[in-house]
Amino acid sequence: MKKVIQKMSLVVFLLSTTLISACTQSLGAVESTQTASIAAQGPVDAKEIEAFADPLFAEKMKEYNVAGSSFVVVRDGKVIVNKGYGFADKEKKIPVDKDTVFQIGSVTKTFTALAAMQQVDAGKIDLHRNIEEYLGGLKIPNKTGKPVTMYDLLTYTPGFELPDETTFTGPQYIGQDISMDEFLPKHMPTIIRPPGEAYTYDNTGFLLAGYAVEKASGIPFAQYMDEKVFKPLGMASTSVRLKPELMKRMAANYDLNGEHRPLEGHAPTDGPQGSIISTAEDMAKYMIMQLQNGKFDGKEIVSQKSLDLMHTHQIFADDIPITTVGFENYFPEYANGQHVVLKGGNMPGHSSLMVLIPEHKTGFFMSYNNDSMVSADIYKEFMDHYFPETEKKAEPVYMPLSEADAQKYFGLYQNTRAYWTRTSITYENGSLVLEGEATGKQKLRMIRPLLFVDEAGEKVAFKEDKNGNVKYFYYTAMNGLSLVAHSQKMEMEKTYSDVPNTSSYKTHINNLSALSIMGAKSGSKFDPTGTMTQGEFADALIKAEGHYVMAGSEDGLRQQLAAGIPNLNPSTPITRQVAAAMIQNLKQLEPVATSKVTLQDTADAWAKDAITALVSQGIVDPDTKVNADGSFTFRAKDLLKRQEASALLDLAFGYYSLPIKR
């Protein structure tokens, strides 16, 4: 009897376990379904958001070596979640919370756009009049004959040659007070493209927009933002300036290796393009106003008409939306078909991202303390979780492309912002071939004339001038690589009366001429066998490297290229060995192990390694022959000829001097 009871007990136990397990699985399935259902409604439940965000931030912060991050989500005028992850200061074990202060970098530009639109609402600025009318007498050099407007500035299309020439940051600017009145006349770049014609991410444009707000309102920019934006929104922990009381709560700045780096300030001190500091708590209020048609706590901060311009895409590349008034649309594929406006920002050691989905009254903001792109991953995961793609994208129908029809796209293109980034467009077996250092080699298939797609599904949109000639392209993949700008076709067929078509240097000379690195010596003559001074070569070298004057970087760059070279003098004619050493100082190339080369002639000890490294990498002028055994004569102490300089610079810094099919 006892055994029977034991068997019955065992059966009951097993049945109970099975039932409990089944119930648990059933409840788990219900809970999972409920969670998925909540997610499908968007971010509305705090517990669900945290269940999504907590493991995501843990994973991504570890992957990107981020010490700490804030994260705030708003929906329908309310803060749903506002929390911090990790450390504001990992050495002191100070955690990030909703009141941790970060430098929000270029998210500042949306505030500047808002201030400008307030002045438009007040009738003090006309969006479409010459911006010089609002600059207190400041003049903008302009080679196009078309005036630049506030609208051009706020949509990233003013056409400046060096859009970041006014971006000066560094520890030395903390504690200084440099006004825009003092700064701008000394650092004004030139407009070289007709305003409105091409998108180029532009810091100068927003600096000028803020300056116009200051002049039109009669109130210094920092004071204006305090009185007209921050105080009405209750943003007590936000400032254009590095206020001491806010700096006490500021997160430490770290590099990508997790090493502490110094805090950097701005010149000018009030930087409408990027100097605001803020907290997640304050940014939530700003987003709520943005998502409530410009109103906050019953007060109108900006008109709905103006806010509509900020939330409506204004600039397109074919069918690809790029910018609004103030906001952008990079990583468009992450939007999953939703109307999204966003803005990212970076200062050395701090990064931020604000994402608004106006039709769902939803937004999120994050700041973190390094320069990684962890924000892009968070954005993608957020959209995939809460606003997944509802319709499967149809496979594009590709059009045939003949070589004859492809001709108009061929050429060498230069990015209008990162102008050291050059891209070649050629043709191969029914496809365009796009090739560059930033992109590698990509085959492009035609969806329709002027619109192509690469093998990964990224779009390439070309733009014609008024005569029907292709002038620009915009590549969403390059946009994602932070090259945020159109690329412009270079005029390659330059005719110099003293450079024959048979010259082995002609392609190099044309490439550098097209990129405005080296041009005519006088009139229509290039002077190919003429010499250069050390100063002239250094100027051309800096242009070829692609560095513009940013944060005072040119002085440091000149020091770098001069390292280890004795007795430099800008007015002294440059020798070939000095040129090689200067190039190597910037390139820092390692000799190719499989290319054993041996210098046969005499060179100074400080130049030998540089010469060998360049030649092993194939950076050598056409008149320097490398023998089958790797031996070569460099003519190290001869004076450098201009044509030789063009070859060395083109091979070292240009896009490989690829022959362009025509």
Side-chain angles (χ1 to χ4, degrees):
M1 184 69 178
K2 186 175 181 180
K3 288 184 178 179
V4 172
I5 292 172
Q6 287 176 335
K7 286 182 179 179
M8 287 179 66
S9 298
L10 180 60
V11 170
V12 170
F13 172 77
L14 291 173
L15 285 172
S16 300
T17 304
T18 303
L19 287 170
I20 291 169
S21 176
C23 289
T24 302
Q25 290 176 13
S26 177
L27 288 171
V30 170
E31 186 176 345
S32 177
T33 302
Q34 288 175 339
T35 301
S37 177
I38 291 171
Q41 299 170 22
V44 295
D45 180 81
K47 289 184 178 179
E48 188 283 327
I49 295 171
E50 291 191 46
F52 157 72
D54 289 358
L56 176 63
F57 272 83
E59 174 194 348
K60 293 299 181 181
M61 287 171 62
K62 182 178 180 181
E63 179 182 345
Y64 286 90
N65 199 24
V66 175
S69 179
S70 63
F71 179 62
V72 58
V73 179
V74 300
R75 172 84 176 230
D76 294 326
K78 297 178 181 179
V79 178
I80 309 299
V81 165
N82 187 2
K83 65 185 301 184
Y85 296 99
F87 294 105
D89 189 314
K90 62 183 182 180
E91 288 80 18
K92 296 178 181 178
K93 303 298 182 186
I94 300 172
V96 173
D97 62 26
K98 63 185 179 63
D99 296 314
T100 302
V101 175
F102 286 88
Q103 294 175 293
I104 68 171
S106 286
V107 179
T108 299
K109 290 179 172 67
T110 69
F111 286 88
T112 299
L114 180 79
M117 296 313 297
Q118 288 178 329
Q119 291 299 292
V120 171
D121 290 343
K124 293 185 177 181
I125 291 177
D126 187 319
L127 267 181
H128 301 289
R129 291 185 69 85
N130 188 338
I131 195 64
E132 288 185 344
E133 296 180 21
Y134 311 107
L135 298 181
L138 181 71
K139 298 298 180 184
I140 303 172
N142 189 335
K143 294 182 177 180
T144 72
K146 183 181 179 183
V148 64
T149 67
M150 178 63 85
Y151 181 82
D152 298 322
L153 301 181
L154 298 181
T155 56
Y156 305 81
T157 59
F160 282 111
E161 179 179 21
L162 299 172
D164 296 314
E165 189 171 359
T166 53
T167 304
F168 281 66
T169 64
Q172 68 271 30
Y173 299 118
I174 295 174
Q176 295 194 42
D177 193 348
I178 303 169
S179 70
M180 287 189 274
D181 281 326
E182 173 189 351
F183 181 86
L184 276 168
K186 300 175 184 176
H187 302 284
M188 182 61 66
T190 300
I191 293 173
I192 60 169
R193 287 178 298 278
E197 183 173 276
Y199 160 63
T200 305
Y201 188 87
D202 196 298
N203 281 298
T204 296
F206 280 83
L207 176 54
L208 286 172
Y211 189 58
V213 169
E214 181 174 287
K215 293 301 180 183
S217 67
I219 304 172
F221 183 74
Q223 181 183 339
Y224 180 96
M225 297 303 291
D226 282 343
E227 294 179 1
K228 305 296 184 181
V229 179
F230 304 148
K231 286 181 181 178
L233 289 173
M235 298 176 71
S237 296
T238 303
S239 174
V240 169
R241 294 189 164 205
L242 295 171
K243 293 181 178 179
E245 62 269 27
L246 297 181
M247 290 175 68
K248 293 175 183 177
R249 288 189 272 130
M250 183 174 284
N253 302 62
Y254 296 98
D255 63 22
L256 294 174
N257 296 319
E259 299 296 322
H260 188 273
R261 62 176 303 156
L263 175 71
E264 296 194 11
H266 273 265
T269 304
D270 300 342
Q273 77 279 30
S275 71
I276 288 178
I277 58 176
S278 190
T279 65
E281 180 84 352
D282 278 7
M283 290 301 296
K285 298 171 183 176
Y286 179 63
M287 289 192 292
I288 287 171
M289 178 275 296
Q290 286 274 344
L291 295 166
Q292 292 187 150
N293 301 320
K295 294 182 175 63
F296 187 81
D297 276 354
K299 298 170 288 190
E300 183 176 90
I301 307 301
V302 68
S303 72
Q304 182 172 343
K305 180 181 178 181
S306 289
L307 203 66
D308 285 346
L309 287 173
M310 295 186 70
H311 291 178
T312 304
H313 291 115
Q314 308 289 320
I315 304 300
F316 292 79
D318 198 277
D319 65 350
I320 307 165
I322 305 178
T323 70
T324 73
V325 166
F327 287 91
E328 296 182 277
N329 187 47
Y330 41 82
F331 300 112
E333 68 278 13
Y334 293 176
N336 292 340
Q338 299 290 335
H339 175 70
V340 175
V341 295
L342 53 77
K343 189 74 196 76
N346 299 87
M347 281 289 289
H350 278 189
S351 302
S352 297
L353 177 66
M354 180 170 62
V355 174
L356 300 178
I357 311 155
E359 292 168 4
H360 294 276
K361 303 296 182 185
T362 298
F364 83 81
F365 176 82
M366 60 184 290
S367 285
Y368 51 99
N369 48 5
N370 76 3
D371 299 322
S372 72
M373 287 300 291
V374 66
S375 55
D377 283 14
I378 300 294
Y379 170 42
K380 183 180 187 305
E381 295 290 341
F382 184 92
M383 295 303 295
D384 286 348
H385 186 69
Y386 291 112
F387 302 99
E389 192 78 61
T390 55
E391 296 181 7
K392 188 176 181 180
K393 293 180 181 177
E395 183 68 23
V397 177
Y398 300 110
M399 295 180 63
L401 179 68
S402 68
E403 185 165 7
D405 290 338
Q407 293 280 333
K408 67 179 183 179
Y409 303 102
F410 294 170
L412 184 67
Y413 294 76
Q414 181 180 35
N415 190 272
T416 56
R417 185 194 186 204
Y419 64 78
W420 57 93
T421 303
R422 293 135 199 175
T423 309
S424 165
I425 301 286
T426 55
Y427 178 85
E428 185 179 298
N429 299 326
S431 300
L432 292 183
V433 177
L434 178 150
E435 195 166 3
E437 283 185 299
T439 61
K441 186 175 181 179
Q442 300 285 339
K443 286 190 175 181
L444 310 180
R445 301 176 70 181
M446 187 168 69
I447 297 175
R448 58 178 177 269
L450 302 180
L451 184 64
F452 292 74
V453 66
D454 71 9
E455 295 156 274
E458 298 282 358
K459 289 182 178 178
V460 180
F462 292 88
K463 184 176 182 179
E464 295 176 331
D465 62 18
K466 61 184 179 181
N467 298 317
N469 300 312
V470 170
K471 190 171 183 179
Y472 301 100
F473 78 76
Y474 178 79
Y475 189 13
T476 57
M478 291 177 76
N479 189 22
L481 290 167
S482 299
L483 301 181
V484 286
H486 271 96
S487 292
Q488 183 174 357
K489 185 187 282 191
M490 298 288 94
E491 180 56 56
M492 299 302 298
E493 289 295 345
K494 185 71 176 180
T495 301
Y496 291 109
S497 60
D498 55 353
V499 180
N501 289 330
T502 56
S503 170
S504 56
Y505 290 93
K506 183 177 176 62
T507 299
H508 300 301
I509 290 170
N510 281 348
N511 284 352
L512 265 64
S513 177
L515 299 168
S516 301
I517 295 169
M518 288 180 66
K521 185 70 173 177
S522 62
S524 64
K525 294 187 176 182
F526 184 79
D527 190 19
T529 59
T531 60
M532 306 176 72
T533 66
Q534 292 177 356
E536 287 171 337
F537 184 78
D539 291 342
L541 178 54
I542 289 172
K543 288 180 181 179
E545 170 70 355
H547 285 269
Y548 37 71
V549 181
M550 187 168 76
S553 64
E554 186 173 354
D555 289 343
L557 202 64
R558 289 185 184 277
Q559 291 176 9
Q560 182 182 340
L561 65 84
I565 306 174
N567 304 318
L568 281 181
N569 185 326
S571 60
T572 299
I574 190 167
T575 61
R576 288 170 55 83
Q577 66 176 359
V578 170
M582 282 186 174
I583 292 172
Q584 176 62 356
N585 280 342
L586 292 191
K587 293 293 288 185
Q588 297 292 304
L589 296 170
E590 293 291 335
V592 177
T594 57
S595 179
K596 298 292 185 182
V597 294
T598 307
L599 178 65
Q600 295 293 299
D601 56 326
T602 302
D604 289 331
W606 49 263
K608 288 181 178 178
D609 288 346
I611 293 168
T612 300
L614 294 185
V615 173
S616 76
Q617 293 272 359
I619 301 172
V620 61
D621 59 280
D623 289 325
T624 299
K625 306 301 180 186
V626 180
N627 299 318
D629 62 357
S631 63
F632 68 97
T633 300
F634 192 71
R635 311 180 307 286
K637 298 191 177 184
D638 287 1
L639 295 181
L640 180 73
K641 297 176 182 177
R642 281 171 54 83
Q643 64 183 10
E644 295 168 351
S646 73
L648 294 176
L649 293 175
D650 188 30
L651 291 167
F653 299 102
Y655 185 63
Y656 310 135
S657 299
L658 287 175
I660 304 301
K661 294 183 180 179
R662 291 182 175 83

